[in-house]
Amino acid sequence: MDPHLLRTYVTVARLASFSEAARELGYTQSAVSQHIAALEQDLGAALLTRRPVRPTAAGERLLEHAGPLLLRLDAARADVLRMASAPEHGLTLAVTPTALGPRTVAALPAAGVTLRALARADIPAAVATGAADLGLVDGLAAPSDPLRLPDVAPLTTCGVAEEPVCVLLPAAHPLARRPGLRLADLVDARWLDAPGAGLPLDRLHTAGGAGGVRTALRYEGTDLRTLTTLAAAGRGLTVLPRSFTTDVPGAVAVPLVAPRLVHRTELIHGGALRGPAAALAHELTEQHRE
């Protein structure tokens, strides 16, 4: 299967238009039509209806395979280029907001760093394809357990930080004076679902058993201050790393003591590291050993 034809098909299916796909890819519309016809002939199946432009059942199945296949190809290209090219002076680091704890920030080079805030699920792909030199992804885990990351390419991961987590409550909340909280204490609570700014709730939902956790409000931004302001205003509870819960006006942070969960941060990279990426990786891993 020709990957060029596959990319054309994915683009046409995404845009639902041969002409729009031709414009995005820099081809003529005739060339796009020829690509689709050649791919259909190769597979022996119709992949798209023409009016409207929509994937057939076989086309939908191909789309399920196409993303991982094309990502692997992009990752292979990026990996080879990393080995063949000289190390750059700059450093692009893909991060989630809560992965940038105080010690991590202190380890960053004084200049030449670009921080790219991405969704957790997108960081491995960004590193694999060369869009970022390194990735820092975080989440809730049992102590010393690795995070569950998507398998997008041969990548190296290592833990660089672990710290306790706290439940952020309004100062007037009945449980705000507790020395510690169990998830069972919060069975009737409503939570803030903020996958871009806070920690994902799926791990809490699993740990909560049959009751799970119930969402009061979903925040789709990446600003931590907005998230903590919502929690302080009583719009829902949130769990954050302990270092992110100090000095939040109108809110109290109470340690989550059961189940035993920590905020874990992992460094992701592909291939051998050189230059600023190698220096930062060394600094972060050495900090974690201390």
Side-chain angles (χ1 to χ4, degrees):
M1 188 187 307
D2 187 330
H4 296 292
L5 304 184
L6 187 59
R7 288 187 192 280
T8 299
Y9 167 67
V10 169
T11 306
V12 173
R14 173 169 55 83
L15 297 175
S17 168
F18 281 73
S19 59
E20 290 296 324
R23 187 175 295 111
E24 180 172 307
L25 295 169
Y27 298 149
T28 65
Q29 185 169 337
S30 174
V32 169
S33 296
Q34 290 172 19
H35 284 191
I36 299 303
L39 186 59
E40 289 178 325
Q41 183 176 6
D42 179 30
L43 295 175
L47 300 174
L48 292 166
T49 60
R50 269 36 177 195
R51 293 184 182 179
V53 177
R54 181 180 300 162
T56 62
E60 291 285 4
R61 182 58 57 87
L62 180 59
L63 286 173
E64 294 175 10
H65 293 285
L69 284 171
L70 293 174
L71 178 56
R72 285 278 180 166
L73 288 172
D74 289 339
R77 178 187 294 274
D79 211 12
V80 171
L81 288 174
R82 272 193 292 261
M83 295 181 66
S85 61
E88 299 291 335
H89 293 294
L91 173 67
T92 299
L93 181 63
V95 300
T96 56
T98 45
L100 286 174
R103 298 186 73 186
T104 303
V105 171
L108 295 176
V113 180
T114 298
L115 294 178
R116 183 170 294 160
L118 297 176
R120 285 174 179 84
D122 295 337
I123 290 178
V127 175
T129 58
D133 301 301
L134 296 172
L136 282 174
V137 66
D138 66 334
L140 292 170
S144 300
D145 275 5
L147 298 177
R148 299 171 184 173
L149 301 177
D151 179 19
V152 298
L155 296 173
T156 300
T157 62
C158 60
V160 294
E162 277 191 7
E163 68 171 312
V165 294
C166 295
V167 181
L168 198 63
L169 306 160
H173 195 281
L175 301 177
R177 296 184 181 276
R178 292 274 189 94
L181 287 172
R182 302 169 301 160
L183 198 55
D185 298 327
L186 304 169
V187 66
D188 295 322
R190 296 293 190 274
W191 294 84
L192 293 168
D193 183 14
L199 299 177
L201 293 181
D202 56 349
R203 189 69 177 84
L204 274 185
H205 186 85
T206 301
V213 296
R214 289 179 285 183
T215 301
L217 183 149
R218 181 177 173 86
Y219 170 54
E220 295 186 349
T222 58
D223 182 54
L224 273 165
R225 173 172 285 187
T226 300
L227 176 60
T228 57
T229 298
L230 288 168
R235 300 309 303 267
L237 307 184
T238 188
V239 171
L240 288 171
R242 182 174 58 188
S243 59
F244 286 82
T245 59
T246 58
D247 302 322
V248 178
V252 174
V254 182
L256 182 67
V257 295
R260 288 193 64 205
L261 295 173
V262 296
H263 171 248
R264 179 176 173 86
T265 303
E266 293 185 359
L267 179 73
I268 305 174
H269 66 88
L273 293 175
R274 296 179 291 172
L280 177 59
H282 176 75
E283 180 69 19
L284 291 174
T285 53
E286 286 300 308
Q287 280 187 0
H288 189 47
R289 292 192 184 103
E290 294 175 1

PDB file of all heavy atoms in Angstrom, residues 209-229:
ATOM      1  N   GLY A 209     -14.259   2.635  42.024  1.00  0.00           N
ATOM      2  CA  GLY A 209     -15.107   1.447  41.952  1.00  0.00           C
ATOM      3  C   GLY A 209     -16.430   1.750  41.283  1.00  0.00           C
ATOM      4  O   GLY A 209     -16.542   2.582  40.389  1.00  0.00           O
ATOM      5  N   ALA A 210     -17.470   1.085  41.767  1.00  0.00           N
ATOM      6  CA  ALA A 210     -18.781   1.177  41.119  1.00  0.00           C
ATOM      7  C   ALA A 210     -19.336   2.596  41.159  1.00  0.00           C
ATOM      8  O   ALA A 210     -20.000   3.040  40.230  1.00  0.00           O
ATOM      9  CB  ALA A 210     -19.757   0.209  41.789  1.00  0.00           C
ATOM     10  N   GLY A 211     -19.049   3.328  42.246  1.00  0.00           N
ATOM     11  CA  GLY A 211     -19.570   4.683  42.363  1.00  0.00           C
ATOM     12  C   GLY A 211     -18.911   5.652  41.410  1.00  0.00           C
ATOM     13  O   GLY A 211     -19.534   6.565  40.894  1.00  0.00           O
ATOM     14  N   GLY A 212     -17.619   5.445  41.155  1.00  0.00           N
ATOM     15  CA  GLY A 212     -16.890   6.312  40.254  1.00  0.00           C
ATOM     16  C   GLY A 212     -16.866   7.746  40.741  1.00  0.00           C
ATOM     17  O   GLY A 212     -16.988   8.029  41.940  1.00  0.00           O
ATOM     18  N   VAL A 213     -16.700   8.677  39.826  1.00  0.00           N
ATOM     19  CA  VAL A 213     -16.759  10.101  40.149  1.00  0.00           C
ATOM     20  C   VAL A 213     -17.736  10.756  39.182  1.00  0.00           C
ATOM     21  O   VAL A 213     -17.859  10.352  38.028  1.00  0.00           O
ATOM     22  CB  VAL A 213     -15.369  10.773  40.046  1.00  0.00           C
ATOM     23  CG1 VAL A 213     -14.419  10.184  41.073  1.00  0.00           C
ATOM     24  CG2 VAL A 213     -14.781  10.608  38.646  1.00  0.00           C
ATOM     25  N   ARG A 214     -18.425  11.764  39.670  1.00  0.00           N
ATOM     26  CA  ARG A 214     -19.429  12.439  38.865  1.00  0.00           C
ATOM     27  C   ARG A 214     -18.980  13.860  38.542  1.00  0.00           C
ATOM     28  O   ARG A 214     -18.479  14.576  39.411  1.00  0.00           O
ATOM     29  CB  ARG A 214     -20.768  12.444  39.592  1.00  0.00           C
ATOM     30  CG  ARG A 214     -21.420  11.071  39.657  1.00  0.00           C
ATOM     31  CD  ARG A 214     -22.724  11.091  40.408  1.00  0.00           C
ATOM     32  NE  ARG A 214     -22.505  11.191  41.855  1.00  0.00           N
ATOM     33  CZ  ARG A 214     -23.481  11.170  42.759  1.00  0.00           C
ATOM     34  NH1 ARG A 214     -24.732  11.070  42.365  1.00  0.00           N
ATOM     35  NH2 ARG A 214     -23.196  11.255  44.040  1.00  0.00           N
ATOM     36  N   THR A 215     -19.172  14.254  37.298  1.00  0.00           N
ATOM     37  CA  THR A 215     -18.686  15.544  36.825  1.00  0.00           C
ATOM     38  C   THR A 215     -19.744  16.621  37.003  1.00  0.00           C
ATOM     39  O   THR A 215     -20.907  16.427  36.634  1.00  0.00           O
ATOM     40  CB  THR A 215     -18.286  15.460  35.343  1.00  0.00           C
ATOM     41  OG1 THR A 215     -17.266  14.471  35.200  1.00  0.00           O
ATOM     42  CG2 THR A 215     -17.760  16.791  34.846  1.00  0.00           C
ATOM     43  N   ALA A 216     -19.326  17.762  37.548  1.00  0.00           N
ATOM     44  CA  ALA A 216     -20.216  18.917  37.661  1.00  0.00           C
ATOM     45  C   ALA A 216     -20.019  19.877  36.500  1.00  0.00           C
ATOM     46  O   ALA A 216     -20.969  20.479  36.006  1.00  0.00           O
ATOM     47  CB  ALA A 216     -19.961  19.650  38.982  1.00  0.00           C
ATOM     48  N   LEU A 217     -18.768  20.030  36.066  1.00  0.00           N
ATOM     49  CA  LEU A 217     -18.451  21.010  35.030  1.00  0.00           C
ATOM     50  C   LEU A 217     -17.225  20.530  34.275  1.00  0.00           C
ATOM     51  O   LEU A 217     -16.284  20.002  34.878  1.00  0.00           O
ATOM     52  CB  LEU A 217     -18.207  22.380  35.673  1.00  0.00           C
ATOM     53  CG  LEU A 217     -17.919  23.594  34.779  1.00  0.00           C
ATOM     54  CD1 LEU A 217     -18.445  24.866  35.442  1.00  0.00           C
ATOM     55  CD2 LEU A 217     -16.413  23.750  34.531  1.00  0.00           C
ATOM     56  N   ARG A 218     -17.227  20.717  32.972  1.00  0.00           N
ATOM     57  CA  ARG A 218     -16.058  20.371  32.157  1.00  0.00           C
ATOM     58  C   ARG A 218     -15.377  21.654  31.704  1.00  0.00           C
ATOM     59  O   ARG A 218     -16.023  22.532  31.118  1.00  0.00           O
ATOM     60  CB  ARG A 218     -16.450  19.528  30.948  1.00  0.00           C
ATOM     61  CG  ARG A 218     -15.246  19.130  30.072  1.00  0.00           C
ATOM     62  CD  ARG A 218     -15.683  18.226  28.937  1.00  0.00           C
ATOM     63  NE  ARG A 218     -14.591  17.959  28.000  1.00  0.00           N
ATOM     64  CZ  ARG A 218     -13.689  16.996  28.145  1.00  0.00           C
ATOM     65  NH1 ARG A 218     -13.752  16.193  29.195  1.00  0.00           N
ATOM     66  NH2 ARG A 218     -12.738  16.823  27.247  1.00  0.00           N
ATOM     67  N   TYR A 219     -14.080  21.761  31.963  1.00  0.00           N
ATOM     68  CA  TYR A 219     -13.289  22.914  31.539  1.00  0.00           C
ATOM     69  C   TYR A 219     -12.293  22.429  30.496  1.00  0.00           C
ATOM     70  O   TYR A 219     -11.467  21.564  30.771  1.00  0.00           O
ATOM     71  CB  TYR A 219     -12.564  23.526  32.745  1.00  0.00           C
ATOM     72  CG  TYR A 219     -11.541  24.574  32.366  1.00  0.00           C
ATOM     73  CD1 TYR A 219     -11.893  25.663  31.577  1.00  0.00           C
ATOM     74  CD2 TYR A 219     -10.224  24.471  32.803  1.00  0.00           C
ATOM     75  CE1 TYR A 219     -10.962  26.620  31.224  1.00  0.00           C
ATOM     76  CE2 TYR A 219      -9.286  25.426  32.455  1.00  0.00           C
ATOM     77  CZ  TYR A 219      -9.656  26.493  31.665  1.00  0.00           C
ATOM     78  OH  TYR A 219      -8.723  27.457  31.316  1.00  0.00           O
ATOM     79  N   GLU A 220     -12.342  22.987  29.295  1.00  0.00           N
ATOM     80  CA  GLU A 220     -11.523  22.498  28.200  1.00  0.00           C
ATOM     81  C   GLU A 220     -10.309  23.381  27.922  1.00  0.00           C
ATOM     82  O   GLU A 220      -9.655  23.230  26.890  1.00  0.00           O
ATOM     83  CB  GLU A 220     -12.368  22.343  26.933  1.00  0.00           C
ATOM     84  CG  GLU A 220     -13.446  21.273  27.092  1.00  0.00           C
ATOM     85  CD  GLU A 220     -14.205  20.994  25.820  1.00  0.00           C
ATOM     86  OE1 GLU A 220     -14.048  21.775  24.851  1.00  0.00           O
ATOM     87  OE2 GLU A 220     -14.951  19.992  25.783  1.00  0.00           O
ATOM     88  N   GLY A 221      -9.988  24.288  28.831  1.00  0.00           N
ATOM     89  CA  GLY A 221      -8.805  25.125  28.672  1.00  0.00           C
ATOM     90  C   GLY A 221      -7.579  24.498  29.310  1.00  0.00           C
ATOM     91  O   GLY A 221      -7.604  23.360  29.783  1.00  0.00           O
ATOM     92  N   THR A 222      -6.488  25.256  29.333  1.00  0.00           N
ATOM     93  CA  THR A 222      -5.232  24.768  29.907  1.00  0.00           C
ATOM     94  C   THR A 222      -4.717  25.653  31.040  1.00  0.00           C
ATOM     95  O   THR A 222      -3.612  25.440  31.536  1.00  0.00           O
ATOM     96  CB  THR A 222      -4.143  24.691  28.819  1.00  0.00           C
ATOM     97  OG1 THR A 222      -3.958  25.990  28.238  1.00  0.00           O
ATOM     98  CG2 THR A 222      -4.524  23.700  27.730  1.00  0.00           C
ATOM     99  N   ASP A 223      -5.512  26.639  31.456  1.00  0.00           N
ATOM    100  CA  ASP A 223      -5.057  27.581  32.479  1.00  0.00           C
ATOM    101  C   ASP A 223      -5.351  27.041  33.877  1.00  0.00           C
ATOM    102  O   ASP A 223      -6.514  26.839  34.247  1.00  0.00           O
ATOM    103  CB  ASP A 223      -5.744  28.929  32.281  1.00  0.00           C
ATOM    104  CG  ASP A 223      -5.272  29.953  33.292  1.00  0.00           C
ATOM    105  OD1 ASP A 223      -4.053  30.163  33.391  1.00  0.00           O
ATOM    106  OD2 ASP A 223      -6.125  30.530  33.999  1.00  0.00           O
ATOM    107  N   LEU A 224      -4.296  26.829  34.649  1.00  0.00           N
ATOM    108  CA  LEU A 224      -4.463  26.279  35.999  1.00  0.00           C
ATOM    109  C   LEU A 224      -5.188  27.250  36.928  1.00  0.00           C
ATOM    110  O   LEU A 224      -5.942  26.826  37.808  1.00  0.00           O
ATOM    111  CB  LEU A 224      -3.099  25.920  36.583  1.00  0.00           C
ATOM    112  CG  LEU A 224      -2.582  24.523  36.250  1.00  0.00           C
ATOM    113  CD1 LEU A 224      -1.103  24.413  36.570  1.00  0.00           C
ATOM    114  CD2 LEU A 224      -3.366  23.479  37.020  1.00  0.00           C
ATOM    115  N   ARG A 225      -4.958  28.533  36.727  1.00  0.00           N
ATOM    116  CA  ARG A 225      -5.621  29.501  37.614  1.00  0.00           C
ATOM    117  C   ARG A 225      -7.138  29.432  37.436  1.00  0.00           C
ATOM    118  O   ARG A 225      -7.884  29.516  38.423  1.00  0.00           O
ATOM    119  CB  ARG A 225      -5.115  30.918  37.327  1.00  0.00           C
ATOM    120  CG  ARG A 225      -5.895  31.983  38.097  1.00  0.00           C
ATOM    121  CD  ARG A 225      -5.285  33.355  37.964  1.00  0.00           C
ATOM    122  NE  ARG A 225      -4.087  33.477  38.772  1.00  0.00           N
ATOM    123  CZ  ARG A 225      -3.438  34.633  38.934  1.00  0.00           C
ATOM    124  NH1 ARG A 225      -3.868  35.724  38.342  1.00  0.00           N
ATOM    125  NH2 ARG A 225      -2.362  34.684  39.683  1.00  0.00           N
ATOM    126  N   THR A 226      -7.602  29.290  36.219  1.00  0.00           N
ATOM    127  CA  THR A 226      -9.043  29.147  35.990  1.00  0.00           C
ATOM    128  C   THR A 226      -9.578  27.914  36.703  1.00  0.00           C
ATOM    129  O   THR A 226     -10.640  27.953  37.334  1.00  0.00           O
ATOM    130  CB  THR A 226      -9.335  29.053  34.488  1.00  0.00           C
ATOM    131  OG1 THR A 226      -8.877  30.244  33.842  1.00  0.00           O
ATOM    132  CG2 THR A 226     -10.817  28.872  34.223  1.00  0.00           C
ATOM    133  N   LEU A 227      -8.836  26.809  36.616  1.00  0.00           N
ATOM    134  CA  LEU A 227      -9.265  25.581  37.271  1.00  0.00           C
ATOM    135  C   LEU A 227      -9.359  25.755  38.783  1.00  0.00           C
ATOM    136  O   LEU A 227     -10.363  25.372  39.407  1.00  0.00           O
ATOM    137  CB  LEU A 227      -8.304  24.449  36.933  1.00  0.00           C
ATOM    138  CG  LEU A 227      -8.555  23.104  37.617  1.00  0.00           C
ATOM    139  CD1 LEU A 227      -9.927  22.560  37.263  1.00  0.00           C
ATOM    140  CD2 LEU A 227      -7.469  22.103  37.238  1.00  0.00           C
ATOM    141  N   THR A 228      -8.335  26.338  39.396  1.00  0.00           N
ATOM    142  CA  THR A 228      -8.353  26.501  40.856  1.00  0.00           C
ATOM    143  C   THR A 228      -9.406  27.523  41.285  1.00  0.00           C
ATOM    144  O   THR A 228     -10.008  27.389  42.355  1.00  0.00           O
ATOM    145  CB  THR A 228      -6.969  26.912  41.378  1.00  0.00           C
ATOM    146  OG1 THR A 228      -6.535  28.121  40.733  1.00  0.00           O
ATOM    147  CG2 THR A 228      -5.952  25.815  41.113  1.00  0.00           C
ATOM    148  N   THR A 229      -9.661  28.525  40.454  1.00  0.00           N
ATOM    149  CA  THR A 229     -10.715  29.498  40.767  1.00  0.00           C
ATOM    150  C   THR A 229     -12.086  28.825  40.766  1.00  0.00           C
ATOM    151  O   THR A 229     -12.930  29.084  41.625  1.00  0.00           O
ATOM    152  CB  THR A 229     -10.699  30.653  39.752  1.00  0.00           C
ATOM    153  OG1 THR A 229      -9.440  31.329  39.835  1.00  0.00           O
ATOM    154  CG2 THR A 229     -11.820  31.643  40.029  1.00  0.00           C
TER     155      THR A 229
END
